[in-house]
Amino acid sequence: MDAKRREVEQLLSDKRNIERKIEKIQADCKHENKVIKQVADDNGSSKIRRVCESCGQIVGYPSPEETFKFLQK
């Protein structure tokens, strides 16, 4: 295995470990402080969601009124 391939394998392993740590933090979070934010989705567009201010996890959908107020900013 060449050096570049080993480096890629190590980086992918690090990424998986970081993702697991983030999932654990988000699972343990009480999501007490929620804000309305625009977040990116998997296909590159964005959407408006309710997000935990502490851990960054999407926790719901804003009401139509909240969405309107967010878009007026």
Side-chain angles (χ1 to χ4, degrees), residues 12-49:
L12 289 171
S13 175
D14 293 346
K15 179 182 174 189
R16 285 187 293 273
N17 289 335
I18 290 168
E19 288 171 345
R20 278 190 224 117
K21 287 179 184 179
I22 291 170
E23 287 172 5
K24 174 143 179 42
I25 290 168
Q26 290 176 334
D28 293 341
C29 183
K30 303 267 190 259
H31 309 304
E32 294 173 353
N33 300 317
K34 299 173 193 114
V35 294
I36 307 299
K37 286 189 176 183
Q38 196 165 7
V39 296
D41 63 9
D42 295 335
N43 64 4
S45 62
S46 61
K47 53 192 174 185
I48 299 171
R49 295 291 184 258

